[in-house]
Amino acid sequence: MLQGKTRTAVWTGLVLYTGLTLFFLFVGFNRSSALPETGLRYHLSFDGIPLIFPGYGYSELWVFSLGNYLAFVPFGLFIPLLVRSRFLPFLLVFIAAITGVELIQMVTHLGAFDINDIVVNTLGAAVGYGAQRLIRRDRWAPIGMLKLLSSGAVLTLLVYSAVSGINYYLEHGRGEIRALDQLPVERGKIQWEQRLNSFTMAQEQVEPAINLYSPDHPGLHEFSLRLDGQYKELTGNFGVPDDAIPAKGSGTGSVIISADGEEIYSLDVNIAPGENQPLSFQVRVEGRQELIITINTEAADPRTHAVLWDLTLTEANAGQKLAARLHRLLGGG
């Protein structure tokens, strides 16, 4: 604990710094209560910790998230030196305080209440707390101050590296790949071909490797599968085989992919010789509960049909599944 003039000086500095921080939170960056607002702004769903190393297209986000983080490190550095406190009580009080600030920003229309901001601000304060706990002696001597700054920088680098790795895992990680013919159908009917016979599209040889789906009848066909938020991505191929196109082919074939009652992707192919190139698709379905695939063949000849092949769903990894549960739990839908 600090004593005497040093304690007074640190208290004074912390009060001034707090005032400066509140100024930027409520007044800076062109904030104004006179801005036209029709309602309260808030973001209650947890989208992950927005701390990333700078990269292409992310420079502004990186600067903003770094500022949100660094601005609160001094609170973790200095408050425990002024008020005796263990880590957990300090963290709980800080979370309560920053939550109050976010609520005031929202009700005064000087900002938005954002769960993700609270997480980043708290992470900064926690790193500051850890940095001052690593340096026990001569904190106010020049060498001690250098050690404090160095420990904070090292912890920040470690935190940024860990969080960036976690974010990459949550964004780009993949679980197991499941073939669609291995999953039960919720509604509709699917006819999977027993033999994966090859065929041609626009004179291009196609060799199905995983599965081949052709509807029982041409025209409109639809089926649905339960996802239960367990999958990240749907991939496959779509087209009209050459031998299914009449000599004077006309019309279009389409596949529409919907999830939870919302159309999220569609493809169209011309039903005409040479214009029926095979099409591939890759559709994100993370967090979705139900998948609906609709195939519609609009051709003059009623025998014309479209096919789908090598349809797979990629499972979300363990971290993505946990993040999806947290997202729903915290109001993300």
Side-chain angles (χ1 to χ4, degrees):
M1 295 287 293
L2 298 176
Q3 301 295 331
K5 293 182 178 179
T6 303
R7 179 182 176 85
T8 302
V10 173
W11 263 119
T12 303
L14 187 62
V15 169
L16 292 174
Y17 183 79
T18 302
L20 183 64
T21 303
L22 291 174
F23 172 83
F24 281 111
L25 287 174
F26 290 99
V27 181
F29 306 110
N30 296 318
R31 300 178 193 269
S32 172
S33 58
L35 290 175
E37 282 288 349
T38 57
L40 301 178
R41 291 188 295 159
Y42 52 87
H43 187 80
L44 299 179
S45 60
F46 178 63
D47 300 323
I49 303 174
L51 290 181
I52 56 173
F53 282 115
Y56 179 76
Y58 289 100
S59 58
E60 290 184 9
L61 175 61
W62 175 73
V63 171
F64 180 76
S65 63
L66 179 64
N68 261 349
Y69 167 85
L70 290 180
F72 294 88
V73 171
F75 293 101
L77 276 173
F78 297 115
I79 289 177
L81 299 179
L82 298 167
V83 180
R84 194 180 302 279
S85 58
R86 295 185 179 276
F87 178 69
L88 186 57
F90 164 78
L91 210 61
L92 292 176
V93 171
F94 179 86
I95 291 173
I98 200 63
T99 300
V101 169
E102 291 280 322
L103 285 170
I104 294 172
Q105 279 187 309
M106 178 180 67
V107 298
T108 58
H109 301 300
L110 294 172
F113 181 90
D114 195 330
I115 289 289
N116 301 286
D117 282 350
I118 294 174
V119 172
V120 175
N121 299 159
T122 303
L123 193 57
V127 166
Y129 186 100
Q132 59 85 24
R133 279 293 186 260
L134 291 175
I135 308 301
R136 295 285 188 172
R137 297 180 180 179
D138 303 321
R139 286 168 170 163
W140 305 108
I143 187 66
M145 292 295 293
L146 183 60
K147 287 180 179 179
L148 271 176
L149 292 174
S150 299
S151 64
V154 170
L155 286 177
T156 293
L157 184 62
L158 291 174
V159 165
Y160 251 80
S161 298
V163 171
S164 293
I166 292 171
N167 286 341
Y168 186 88
Y169 170 72
L170 293 176
E171 177 66 23
H172 302 287
R174 296 288 189 273
E176 291 186 21
I177 295 177
R178 301 281 301 276
L180 237 63
D181 55 314
Q182 303 299 313
L183 300 175
V185 179
E186 181 79 3
R187 290 185 289 107
K189 184 179 179 182
I190 304 179
Q191 179 178 317
W192 297 103
E193 299 296 321
Q194 297 300 311
R195 298 181 60 186
L196 302 182
N197 295 320
S198 62
F199 49 87
T200 62
M201 285 187 181
Q203 305 304 311
E204 179 182 336
Q205 190 73 18
V206 176
E207 301 277 355
I210 300 173
N211 49 42
L212 174 61
Y213 166 65
S214 180
D216 288 335
H217 52 81
L220 183 67
H221 199 72
E222 182 177 281
F223 64 92
S224 70
L225 304 165
R226 291 297 302 173
L227 300 183
D228 294 324
Q230 300 298 301
Y231 296 93
K232 184 178 180 68
E233 191 174 73
L234 169 72
T235 59
N237 304 278
F238 168 73
V240 179
D242 290 336
D243 60 8
I245 298 178
K248 296 181 179 180
S250 63
T252 60
S254 66
V255 58
I256 299 172
I257 300 169
S258 304
D260 300 340
E262 174 190 2
E263 182 180 321
I264 57 176
Y265 199 80
S266 65
L267 285 172
D268 295 285
V269 62
N270 289 326
I271 301 176
E275 297 182 21
N276 58 323
Q277 287 84 1
L279 303 174
S280 298
F281 55 86
Q282 189 175 22
V283 186
R284 297 175 70 91
V285 294
E286 61 263 50
R288 302 289 188 166
Q289 301 301 304
E290 183 184 34
L291 178 72
I292 301 173
I293 297 179
T294 305
I295 305 99
N296 187 16
T297 307
E298 298 176 349
D301 191 320
R303 295 169 296 178
T304 305
H305 64 273
V307 296
L308 295 162
W309 70 98
D310 292 351
L311 293 169
T312 63
L313 278 166
T314 302
E315 285 188 344
N317 58 38
Q320 291 160 348
K321 291 178 182 178
L322 177 60
R325 292 192 194 101
L326 288 173
H327 187 76
R328 291 195 298 272
L329 199 63
L330 294 172

